Amino acid sequence: LTASRVLELTLTSRAKDSSGASIPMCGVPHHAMDTYLARLVRQGYRVAICDQVEDPKKARGLVKREVTRVVSPGTFTDASYLSAREPAFLAAVAPALGGVAGFGLAFLDVSTGAFVATELRGAGAADALASELALHAPRELLLSDDADAAAFGDTGQARITRVAAWTFDPAGAREALCRQFGVASLAAFGLDQAPAATAAAGAIVAYLQDTQRRELSHVRQITFQVTADALAIDPVTLRHLNVVEGAEGGRAGSLLEAIDRTVTAMGGRMLRQWLVRPLVSLARIHDRLDAVENFAFRTVERGRFRAALEPMHDLERLVSRVSLGTAGPRDMVALGQSIARLPELTGLAGAFQAPLVGSLAAEIDPLEDLRDVLTRTLVDEPPAQARDGGVIRDGVDAELDELRAVSRGGKAAIAAMEESERARTGIPTLKVRYNRVFGYYIEVTKSQLAGVPDDYIRKQTVAGGERFITPGLKTFEEKVLGADERIAVREVELFEALRSAVAAQAPRVLDTARAVAALDVLAALAETATAADYTKPQVHDGDEFTATDARHPIVERHVSEAFVPNDVTLDAAGRQLVILTGPNMGGKSTYLRQVALLALLAQAGSFVPSRAAKLAVVDRIFARVGASDNIVRGQSTFMVEMQETATILHAATSRSLVILDEIGRGTATFDGLSLAWAVAEHLATNDRARPKTIFATHYHELTDLADTLPGVVNCHVAAREFREHIIFLHKIVDGRSDRSYGIQVARLAGIPAAVVRRASEILAALERDELQRGGRPSLSGAPGDGERQLGLFHAPAEAHPVVDRLRALEVDRLTPLEALNLLADLKREADA
């Protein structure tokens, strides 16, 4: 019933149960199973695959069947389901042990064997967990069946699967991992002192062994991630910077799309990983940058290397399907073809001198033994399934060759029999044919039935004539069909043996695949640098963060006119916090983002879009740009803004880079101004952390901070007015701006002229501080004769005797005693 509804299949019925009710059924052709599996898994279902597990010819009664595999969103590896350039993680979360607040977290991409684990502890563990889940976007999340899901906080969009609590037992998990990796201890993987991470990782392995029912030969190692090993980028910052997803979702309009020139799918996935987890180790950053430079300056050699990569299939996912037992003959042939390219790649990599290129090339195993066995065993163009036959080459197996000789000889004999029978009977149209119901038969048309000999046995009458069999024909049939059946069985046996042999070598293939992917990324970054005019940054451990003529890598690809580059200078002493003002539409948000992307690209190992750059290593990037709400959680735009700002103020260090845009605009003017002022002041004066910060705002009052606080400077986006129009120069210059040109932008947006005129009148009145009672601008436009208007902070409109006496007072002529007496009189009069 469920499958019929979800897959839009016709619901049928078969037989009846003991109560007399019909049993609902629906089905699909077995060869189309993967297509329907993908549809079910995309909708979050888990699907059990049942197969016959005994020979039907030897079975007594019903053929024995068992569940041979369970497919779920985190375990389905079919190419039609997976996105080639994105990971597909299965995750597990385990609570920390011993009463400690925190979690153990593990991610495994079943399609590639990539396996990572980490531990999150302390007061911010729940937020860190939500952040990790958002970054990795697992398709399926394993939780213990006795765990309270609410305790784990926001688990994102992953399908939650409950598993037995014992799978999270640290001791059992440790044993499961040791068996999986073939080791006696997990110390080499850094998990010996991480029980919660071990529990999560062990639960994944136990779940896969239970659902996949086979050895996971491609999962042979795990990486224990430490937060300090990488530049931390939270999901909010990734989203605001459009690192892997554009504004509309998907790759379009993202940084990943802008710079991804990788040739292989595995290279594309690795580039994505480099962008979401940039480096903080200066040595490793320099290694990548030197390798990119080496590729960039050797244009011809780079072109040859990338051309050699083009025929390369996705080695990671091919060998993973081999290990899971789901790879077909075409997958195996593709694997062999890709392995055959490895010697050429290694030779071409020898043209580059960068140490990282050399070390990666040395990690490429030519895999000659696998290549030989694959090419020697499989035909060049096999069918999709081994059971279809014609997969194994002649000369591979003596038994198969013998059966094929029998089959081919039998078929030739049947063809000769057809000619012989035509001659014997004198029926020229006589034909020997075959179908699955009757096997081989002789067909004679109605007009020729008179010539049928007596030894023909009538089998069936058809519209055009009669079908017959003979004892001799049946003898040949048994010989040929028996051989064909045994051929099919033998080919499947040989193919499965080959697949198992290749699966045993999966770790070698995966190590090679990852080296090839890294070389692909380095060459692709060089290609991007050359095509988009990027430069090699000087990345250092100091304090200076400067760039000349920097550009936004995404925006510059999509603007019709020339992109206006800008400089940036930040340091802890003189320019720690930049207050950026200027007109709407002037480019403040673009400038903020491009500064953050400079740091991200450089620490990922990429050249940067600027004429020159000297960039200090940062430990975290925080970006709060733009407005959004969270309706599902009942959070307003302002609440989301404050939560994101709170995260920055708590987590930023003096080595962090912070970009803030329009803090406080979601509430009342004075509330917002007060908050923006306090946030900026905190970032500039906090003893614990003074991160490099660019603070864009329309609160021009904040520019006064530069007059009182060291390290705070003002910059603004230049603009010019021409008559009633504004010209955006998109240039960042030093100094403050006292206007935001909002009304001019409203005119550009198509606001009716009458509204724009009235807004200009109100603005003029506000700037003169001339508001009527109650703070409302005059409804009739400019105030008429005799109307008395007071400023925003002035007293009520009615005259007061105290005010009149103060106005008439000549302060310079008052003695101190007279002043005190007058003050006492005014106080009594005001209180009256």
Side-chain angles (χ1 to χ4, degrees):
L1 291 173
T2 299
S4 174
R5 183 184 73 254
V6 174
L7 297 176
E8 299 178 352
L9 299 174
T10 300
L11 190 67
T12 62
S13 63
R14 181 175 180 181
K16 293 188 177 182
D17 60 21
S18 58
S19 66
S22 60
I23 300 172
M25 298 188 71
C26 72
V28 299
H30 69 89
H31 56 78
M33 179 183 72
D34 285 345
T35 300
Y36 289 93
L37 274 180
R39 291 173 60 183
L40 287 167
V41 172
R42 284 194 183 98
Q43 297 188 58
Y45 289 95
R46 299 171 73 227
V47 186
I49 309 298
C50 302
D51 283 318
Q52 294 178 349
V53 292
E54 64 176 338
D55 188 344
K57 294 181 179 178
K58 300 177 182 179
R60 293 184 178 181
L62 289 177
V63 179
K64 185 179 179 182
R65 294 170 174 83
E66 289 181 356
V67 174
T68 56
R69 182 165 58 113
V70 176
V71 172
S72 62
T75 63
F76 193 39
T77 59
D78 187 78
S80 65
Y81 169 69
L82 298 176
S83 173
R85 291 178 173 266
E86 293 182 4
F89 284 112
L90 169 67
V93 182
L97 305 175
V100 178
F103 306 96
L105 180 61
F107 298 95
L108 171 62
D109 186 343
V110 181
S111 72
T112 65
F115 201 0
V116 297
T118 189
E119 285 198 351
L120 311 167
R121 298 184 178 182
D127 290 338
L129 174 62
S131 177
E132 288 292 328
L133 291 174
L135 286 175
H136 289 85
R139 296 169 184 258
E140 186 175 5
L141 177 63
L142 306 181
L143 298 179
S144 170
D145 56 11
D146 61 358
D148 178 10
F152 298 101
D154 183 10
T155 54
Q157 301 299 314
R159 183 202 191 280
I160 294 179
T161 298
R162 297 287 187 169
V163 297
W166 63 263
T167 60
F168 284 92
D169 173 65
R174 187 178 300 107
E175 290 181 10
L177 290 171
C178 287
R179 284 196 305 271
Q180 178 63 39
F181 302 145
V183 296
S185 166
L186 298 178
F189 304 108
L191 289 174
D192 52 327
Q193 300 299 319
T198 299
I204 288 180
V205 169
Y207 177 72
L208 289 175
Q209 289 173 343
D210 182 52
T211 57
Q212 305 308 297
R213 306 294 176 94
R214 62 186 304 115
E215 183 182 358
L216 306 170
S217 57
H218 67 302
V219 181
R220 281 291 178 265
Q221 60 183 1
I222 187 171
T223 301
F224 183 67
Q225 287 187 346
V226 179
T227 304
D229 290 344
L231 190 160
I233 310 175
D234 58 80
V236 171
T237 297
L238 277 181
R239 184 173 69 251
H240 287 168
L241 296 180
N242 301 125
V243 175
V244 294
E245 287 189 353
E248 304 299 325
R251 284 170 58 99
S254 69
L255 175 67
L256 181 58
E257 182 209 29
I259 70 168
D260 187 2
R261 286 177 169 80
T262 54
V263 177
T264 68
M266 50 193 177
R269 291 193 301 272
M270 182 168 285
L271 174 60
R272 184 186 189 280
Q273 180 64 17
W274 286 14
L275 291 181
V276 300
R277 196 172 170 80
L279 303 172
V280 291
S281 166
L282 194 60
R284 294 183 65 197
I285 293 170
H286 284 165
D287 281 345
R288 286 185 185 177
L289 290 173
D290 290 346
V292 172
E293 181 181 41
N294 197 190
F295 273 111
F297 282 104
R298 306 204 62 142
T299 306
V300 174
E301 292 86 349
R302 182 180 76 248
R304 290 173 181 163
F305 183 82
R306 286 167 54 81
L309 280 172
E310 287 182 0
M312 185 75 65
H313 295 273
D314 194 336
L315 287 174
E316 287 182 318
R317 286 187 169 167
L318 283 175
V319 77
S320 296
R321 288 201 291 275
V322 170
S323 297
L324 292 168
T326 60
R330 292 174 183 172
D331 290 329
M332 300 284 277
V333 168
L335 181 62
Q337 292 171 344
S338 298
I339 291 174
R341 309 291 303 180
L342 295 176
E344 180 186 4
L345 278 178
T346 305
L348 291 171
F352 303 93
Q353 293 76 42
L356 181 57
V357 176
S359 64
L360 289 171
E363 292 176 16
I364 297 177
D365 184 337
L367 300 168
E368 294 170 345
D369 52 337
L370 281 183
R371 180 196 63 199
D372 291 343
V373 71
L374 286 167
T375 55
R376 187 176 65 248
T377 304
L378 300 174
V379 298
D380 293 335
E381 297 182 3
Q385 301 293 332
R387 62 174 176 263
D388 296 333
V391 172
I392 307 298
R393 290 184 185 273
D394 289 339
V396 171
D397 179 72
E399 179 183 347
L400 179 62
D401 290 343
E402 183 179 346
L403 290 169
R404 282 176 171 169
V406 171
S407 175
R408 291 165 183 164
K411 290 176 181 176
I414 288 174
M417 179 183 286
E418 183 180 76
E419 292 300 320
S420 171
E421 288 299 306
R422 286 178 180 176
R424 182 169 76 92
T425 61
I427 302 174
T429 58
L430 180 149
K431 294 180 179 178
V432 177
R433 290 182 171 174
Y434 170 83
N435 68 30
R436 292 188 178 183
V437 177
F438 298 113
Y440 285 97
Y441 57 87
I442 298 172
E443 185 169 288
V444 180
T445 60
K446 288 182 179 180
S447 61
Q448 302 291 327
L449 289 176
V452 172
D454 294 337
D455 61 339
Y456 276 29
I457 303 169
R458 181 177 281 105
K459 191 68 176 177
Q460 185 185 28
T461 301
V462 293
E466 299 281 349
R467 291 175 176 174
F468 303 89
I469 61 172
T470 67
L473 184 60
K474 284 290 119 179
T475 300
F476 278 113
E477 177 184 278
E478 290 174 4
K479 181 179 179 181
V480 173
L481 295 185
D484 287 344
E485 288 180 4
R486 292 196 299 275
I487 286 171
V489 171
R490 186 57 182 162
E491 285 211 56
V492 170
E493 290 174 350
L494 291 170
F495 177 76
E496 291 182 347
L498 174 65
R499 191 165 59 188
S500 296
V502 174
Q505 303 302 318
R508 292 173 59 200
V509 180
L510 286 174
D511 288 343
T512 293
R514 286 158 190 163
V516 171
L519 288 169
D520 184 14
V521 174
L522 295 170
L525 290 175
E527 190 76 14
T528 298
T530 303
D533 192 24
Y534 289 7
T535 191
K536 182 183 181 182
Q538 299 178 46
V539 183
H540 61 99
D541 263 338
D543 183 58
E544 182 182 354
F545 190 99
T546 61
T548 305
D549 289 342
R551 313 184 306 276
H552 194 297
I554 306 171
V555 175
E556 72 171 342
R557 291 189 62 196
H558 295 91
V559 293
S560 55
E561 64 274 7
F563 186 90
V564 178
N566 276 293
D567 299 345
V568 59
T569 301
L570 294 169
D571 58 60
R575 295 178 71 91
Q576 179 256 326
L577 189 149
V578 174
I579 302 293
L580 180 62
T581 53
N584 288 295
M585 297 277 296
K588 295 193 301 298
S589 295
T590 298
Y591 179 73
L592 291 175
R593 289 182 171 95
Q594 74 189 41
V595 170
L597 291 177
L598 287 175
L600 188 151
L601 283 170
Q603 291 184 221
S606 170
F607 282 22
V608 296
S610 67
R611 185 158 55 85
K614 186 176 182 181
L615 308 176
V617 172
V618 299
D619 61 355
R620 293 196 66 164
I621 296 175
F622 294 95
R624 215 235 71 78
V625 183
S628 62
D629 54 21
N630 194 325
I631 297 174
V632 174
R633 297 185 200 164
Q635 296 172 342
S636 67
T637 300
F638 183 66
M639 172 59 81
V640 172
E641 175 187 319
M642 288 297 99
Q643 288 178 336
E644 294 172 359
T645 304
T647 299
I648 294 171
L649 297 181
H650 285 298
T653 73
S654 293
R655 295 188 64 204
S656 300
L657 175 64
V658 175
I659 61 171
L660 294 169
D661 189 22
E662 303 302 337
I663 294 297
R665 299 298 289 185
T667 186
T669 302
F670 293 145
D671 284 352
L673 172 57
S674 302
L675 284 165
W677 188 292
V679 168
E681 198 173 69
H682 179 86
L683 290 168
T685 61
N686 183 26
D687 292 335
R688 182 187 62 81
R690 296 179 66 243
K692 298 177 181 67
T693 305
I694 303 180
F695 194 121
T697 183
H698 283 292
Y699 291 130
H700 298 287
E701 295 83 352
L702 265 62
T703 59
D704 291 345
L705 287 170
D707 300 328
T708 58
L709 298 179
V712 179
V713 298
N714 288 319
C715 289
H716 70 278
V717 184
R720 296 290 182 269
E721 283 189 275
F722 179 71
R723 295 175 182 168
E724 294 184 350
H725 299 281
I726 182 173
I727 301 172
F728 300 114
L729 302 182
H730 304 295
K731 200 69 179 173
I732 308 298
V733 296
D734 286 344
R736 69 187 76 196
S737 170
D738 58 359
R739 297 192 62 188
S740 293
Y741 300 97
I743 293 176
Q744 289 85 343
V745 173
R747 180 186 293 112
L748 291 175
I751 295 294
V755 175
V756 172
R757 284 195 302 272
R758 180 61 178 139
S760 299
E761 294 169 354
I762 295 171
L763 176 62
L766 290 170
E767 288 177 340
R768 291 195 306 269
D769 198 22
E770 292 178 352
L771 290 177
Q772 287 189 336
R773 185 182 296 109
R776 296 186 184 88
S778 169
L779 296 178
S780 60
D785 292 338
E787 281 189 281
R788 187 171 187 182
Q789 297 202 342
L790 297 176
L792 185 61
F793 305 108
H794 288 181
E798 293 84 356
H800 194 283
V802 171
V803 176
D804 292 338
R805 289 187 64 182
L806 286 171
R807 283 177 175 160
L809 194 64
E810 295 184 27
V811 179
D812 294 338
R813 297 187 179 185
L814 288 176
T815 66
L817 182 59
E818 288 173 338
L820 287 173
N821 290 332
L822 176 61
L823 181 60
D825 290 343
L826 292 174
K827 177 67 168 61
R828 284 193 297 272
E829 197 169 341
D831 292 341

